[in-house]
Amino acid sequence: MITKVHHVGVVVRAIDEALPFWRDTLGLKLHKLELIEEQGVKAALLSVGDSEVELLEPVVSDNGVARYLERKGEGLHHICFQSDDVERDLADMKAKGTEMIDQVTRVGIAGRICFLHPNAMDGALIELCQPLDDYAVQHPAGAPEAV
Amino acid sequence: MADLTLDHVVIAVKDLDGATADYVNILGRNPSWRGEHPKYGTKNTLFRIDNTYVELLALSGAKGDKRWSGVLQKTLEEKGEGVFALAIGTTDIKRAVEEFRDGGLDVADPADGHGVDVNTGAERGWRNAQVDPKHTNGLRIFFIQHLAPPEALPVAEPVTDGAHVRRMDHAVVLSADMEAARRVWSDKIGARLALDRTFPDRNTRILFYRLADITIEISGGAAQSKEGIGKPDRPWGLAWGVESIEKTCERLQAAGVETSGPRPGIKPGTLVATIKGEATHGVATLLIEHQPESFTEAARVAHSGAIDNTEQQRAFTPTALDHVSVTTSDLPGTAAKWATALGLSAVETSEHDDSRIAKIPAHNSYIALTQPLSSGGAIAAAMAERGQGMHAVAIAVDNIDEAVRDMRLKGVEISDPVAGREPGTRVASIAKASANGVPVVLVQRS
């Protein structure tokens, strides 16, 4: 079940050049800045109330974020909802025939995550996430096998 | 509290004569003062430099007030030599003590102190007020007001030309409990926080407090560890400002003091060198030369990869992610998909000039699923450009008029605040060119 909007993802060319607006002008507090090498992105997380804006900068040329930037330019990329059980929600969506990018959950910046296919939601890219400490309580042995 | 200075730094040493000789080498200056405190059972050497003075403090062997010699002896035995105390200067200690107590810092009553220079017979008086280290997260701090004029403590004469230490640049305190340290310096002492920055790639967070032109640098881990909470802070090192780091290193080398460097400092436009070996008597010691560009605006901005946590002074606060706009060419069809796949259902649909909007609540925010009603409006134009899907972000602010004024001053293209489509709201639109291609709307709810 979805419990809140965890973040909105914005694709930018360079995080260093985006922070003057999002952090310094809009006043959102930057609380995490990291390079996620396996995903080929640099990410900055900025708090707004109990939600976040996530700035994403591709550091390789062959991932989804880089292709999005190439094709559409900078802009609003996705919305991520927090789930109280991402495995169950993914299984439910698959059972209903919702088209998914991720057939199994994986570890992302926001915790255990999966992406819906944009076709499933008429063009909007949706991510579900569950923070890892919460996830570990439900799945102490790690992620279930794909079914 | 205003007008606080770093009056001096006390370094605990075992052998005062040996330490004095070493600090003559390090500072490149002869001592200003050789003193004894018969009452305390301690003796000292003082070096006045351009912006503070340094005190080497040792046991004299004379029987004295155990409060001083006892603490010093215990520190030397348990922790060894090193920075022992920070003396914070004030021009009115009575009032300062009252203000500190109002701020929740437990300070002792001011007590008179008196020193005699053993070489010249000169005398100086002061009043100081001690703070139990348990109130300052383990740091030994006292407040001091000098009763004698500044010239009563003469400047330590340089022994060489131009290669001596000019000033103290900063003092470094290591902390395992950064929030506790922050409460001590921000709330209890009331020092000015100039910078709160996190370097994730170096796993470091630093707080810079300014005491006049000297910085107290509190350094800890990027993330707070559970084990660190409640652990005492400890004074670690001193950084000395020099005019020419190259000349200073040459001078030290000739005096048999080993240095590493010079190398570029972390702050752009600085050159630094570390003094190695025993000569510093347990004080991590850095020499720093500021080149003119280290004072430029560019050098003050966060280095790449650093997170600046310093609270910005601004006239408005962003309070929430108000809503996210998603476009569609088939409102009922898309809304049904949101309800089926995600369990998020539209609660109301409203019609506006050029669009129809379904409001889909999502607990802490909502989704405005938006279908253009004509081909001429902004929504239709956005869809023509990017296709349907993710469109815009609305951020709630507490004062939209101040936000618009502030943003225009910073060069952001933003509309005047106008009544929003929801009753009781005022909105202003930021041009997407100012916000990385994202149409951002500010919303104030009354």
Side-chain angles (χ1 to χ4, degrees), chain B residues 3 64 80-81 91 100 131 144 167 224 264 274 278-279 333 347 364 386 399 401 404 418 421:
Chain B
D3 303 333
E81 297 184 309
T91 51
F100 289 128
V131 186
I144 187 165
R167 52 187 293 280
Q224 178 65 55
T274 313
E278 310 276 302
V347 290
N364 62 340
R386 299 182 79 89
N399 188 332
D401 298 298
V404 168
V418 294
R421 57 181 161 75

Side-chain angles (χ1 to χ4, degrees), chain A residues 51-82:
Chain A
S51 196
E52 290 176 356
V53 171
E54 175 184 286
L55 304 179
L56 290 168
E57 171 191 335
V59 294
V60 294
S61 57
D62 59 348
N63 61 9
V65 173
R67 283 191 292 271
Y68 177 94
L69 189 60
E70 168 91 36
R71 214 173 57 242
K72 293 193 170 183
E74 295 188 311
L76 187 58
H77 179 253
H78 70 271
I79 181 166
C80 176
F81 293 104
Q82 186 167 325

Side-chain angles (χ1 to χ4, degrees), chain A residues 2-8 10-14 16-18 21-33 42 48-53 68 72-79 81 93 96 98 116 119-126 128, chain B residues 200 302 304-309 312 314 316 318-321 324-328 330 333-334 337-342 344 362-367 386-393 395-396 406-407 410 412 430 434-438 440 442:
Chain A
I2 282 166
T3 55
K4 69 172 195 175
V5 176
H6 186 276
H7 66 262
V8 288
V10 175
V11 170
V12 302
R13 264 177 224 294
D16 286 350
E17 288 164 26
F21 173 74
W22 296 93
R23 177 190 62 195
D24 304 332
T25 303
L26 194 53
L28 307 188
K29 189 172 171 178
L30 176 65
H31 69 88
K32 201 171 187 184
L33 188 61
K42 205 165 123 185
V48 52
D50 63 352
S51 196
E52 290 176 356
V53 171
Y68 177 94
K72 293 193 170 183
E74 295 188 311
L76 187 58
H77 179 253
H78 70 271
I79 181 166
F81 293 104
M93 286 188 290
K96 287 176 204 156
T98 305
L116 282 69
N119 289 347
M121 306 301 286
D122 296 336
L125 182 58
I126 311 275
L128 293 192
Chain B
S304 177
I307 297 177
D308 192 344
N309 312 301
Q312 305 261 346
R314 65 178 75 246
F316 72 99
T319 55
L321 179 67
V324 181
S325 289
V326 175
T327 56
T328 175
D330 170 17
T334 306
K337 290 176 183 172
W338 280 73
T340 306
L342 300 167
L344 298 175
H363 304 282
N364 62 340
S365 186
Y366 74 89
I367 310 305
R386 299 182 79 89
Q388 57 180 356
M390 306 303 303
H391 172 55
V393 171
I395 306 280
D406 197 13
M407 289 196 174
K410 289 174 178 162
V412 172
I430 297 171
S434 291
N436 301 98
V438 182
V440 175
L442 302 185

Side-chain angles (χ1 to χ4, degrees), chain B residues 258-342:
Chain B
E258 203 188 335
T259 60
S260 74
R263 59 184 186 273
I266 290 165
K267 183 178 178 187
T270 59
L271 289 173
V272 299
T274 313
I275 298 187
K276 296 159 84 171
E278 310 276 302
T280 64
H281 291 263
V283 181
T285 301
L286 188 77
L287 302 169
I288 184 163
E289 174 190 335
H290 288 271
Q291 297 171 309
E293 60 266 34
S294 79
F295 297 100
T296 61
E297 197 56 41
R300 275 195 282 271
V301 302
H303 317 302
S304 177
I307 297 177
D308 192 344
N309 312 301
T310 319
E311 291 205 6
Q312 305 261 346
Q313 295 293 319
R314 65 178 75 246
F316 72 99
T317 306
T319 55
L321 179 67
D322 191 87
H323 65 271
V324 181
S325 289
V326 175
T327 56
T328 175
S329 52
D330 170 17
L331 194 68
T334 306
K337 290 176 183 172
W338 280 73
T340 306
L342 300 167

